[in-house]
Amino acid sequence: MRINDDLTKPVVVHSAKLEWIPSPSAGVDRRMLYRVGGEVARATSIVRYAPGSAFPRHVHSGGEEVLVLEGTFQDEHGDYPVGTYFRNPPGTSHVPASKDGCTIFVRLWQFRERDNTQIVRNPGEGETVPVREGVEAARILFDDGQERVSIESWRPGSTVTVGNPRGLEILVLAGSLIVRGELLEPQTWLRLPQRERLEAVTGPAGAEIWIKDAPLQHPDVLQMPA
């Protein structure tokens, strides 16, 4: 399966308008944003857990990066409410579930070799950093020099420009913005190739954005099994 696999082209996916696709585990459905591979895939997805659903224990051989969008995600290590961000590096395992249901944003098989940092950022955590014009607040969730992941609050009715030396990926969490004349609302995903800067105008409520500044595929990305 190949979905939005040309990393040289800009991509906008209004995920809230996509159909849910069942996963192999009952009660767990997906909206696929980017995918290369079958059930084991290099993938970016929105995943929905129905109340009481769970996925069997599995090892993340290629790493897993997650942001909780709705409800409370759980595993044997604890509960992760809305706004929790975590990285499970290659070789980690868990039993993901949700007692009351949840929706999460997930990136799989996109870790680099030797990226072994396991972190959990609770809602509101992260180092606050200086902001660019049009941005009210920004906090870093992860930055190892190779990629930088942050949450930003953009002011209402503002023009925001984001440079793009490596590649950009954003997910709209709340509010809205217009990019190239196109309205981006919550759970819209945007990916821009290297050196194509982002120019956006926020709506009347502003916008909250998850943003990753990193190569769209690292040169030393972990290789999937043949």
Side-chain angles (χ1 to χ4, degrees):
M1 185 182 297
R2 307 186 76 89
I3 298 173
N4 294 322
D5 62 312
D6 187 344
L7 302 181
T8 67
K9 295 181 179 178
V11 175
V12 174
V13 180
H14 301 276
S15 70
K17 299 179 180 179
L18 298 179
E19 295 293 327
W20 289 105
I21 299 172
S23 79
S25 185
V28 182
D29 303 319
R30 300 171 289 196
R31 286 170 166 161
M32 300 180 182
L33 311 177
Y34 160 64
R35 196 172 189 89
V36 177
E39 192 51 43
V40 175
R42 203 179 309 284
T44 301
S45 310
I46 305 290
V47 179
R48 179 182 66 181
Y49 283 73
S53 61
F55 218 91
R57 175 172 295 280
H58 55 280
V59 175
H60 289 292
S61 300
E64 173 192 56
E65 182 178 15
V66 171
L67 178 68
V68 182
L69 304 178
E70 299 172 349
T72 299
F73 182 68
Q74 297 160 315
D75 63 15
E76 67 272 33
H77 306 296
D79 294 351
Y80 310 99
V82 172
T84 305
Y85 170 82
F86 60 88
R87 297 172 67 92
N88 289 326
T92 55
S93 70
H94 66 159
V95 181
S98 183
K99 177 182 177 182
D100 298 318
C102 71
T103 304
I104 61 176
F105 173 69
V106 186
R107 302 175 81 256
L108 300 173
W109 278 101
Q110 297 181 60
F111 275 57
R112 309 179 309 279
E113 293 183 8
R114 297 177 297 281
D115 181 356
N116 298 315
T117 303
Q118 185 167 23
I119 63 168
V120 176
R121 294 279 184 263
N122 293 314
E125 288 186 344
E127 177 189 357
T128 57
V129 291
V131 297
R132 54 183 151 258
E133 186 174 353
V135 178
E136 184 174 11
R139 53 189 172 85
I140 300 298
L141 303 176
F142 177 76
D143 188 352
D144 67 350
Q146 300 298 310
E147 58 182 73
R148 172 175 162 143
V149 182
S150 59
I151 297 281
E152 299 190 0
S153 296
W154 294 2
R155 294 190 179 97
S158 297
T159 298
V160 179
T161 301
V162 182
N164 184 11
R166 299 187 287 192
L168 281 178
E169 192 175 329
I170 75 166
L171 183 71
V172 181
L173 305 178
S176 64
L177 58 149
I178 295 175
V179 177
R180 297 179 178 179
E182 188 169 0
L183 179 64
L184 278 60
E185 296 181 300
Q187 296 190 23
T188 298
W189 178 72
L190 167 69
R191 189 183 68 201
L192 291 175
Q194 183 181 23
R195 290 186 291 277
E196 187 157 337
R197 69 179 183 176
L198 172 63
E199 296 182 348
V201 178
T202 60
E208 185 177 25
I209 305 293
W210 176 94
I211 184 165
K212 177 185 282 282
D213 170 0
L216 300 185
Q217 181 166 299
H218 293 285
D220 57 346
V221 67
L222 289 166
Q223 295 301 303
M224 293 188 298

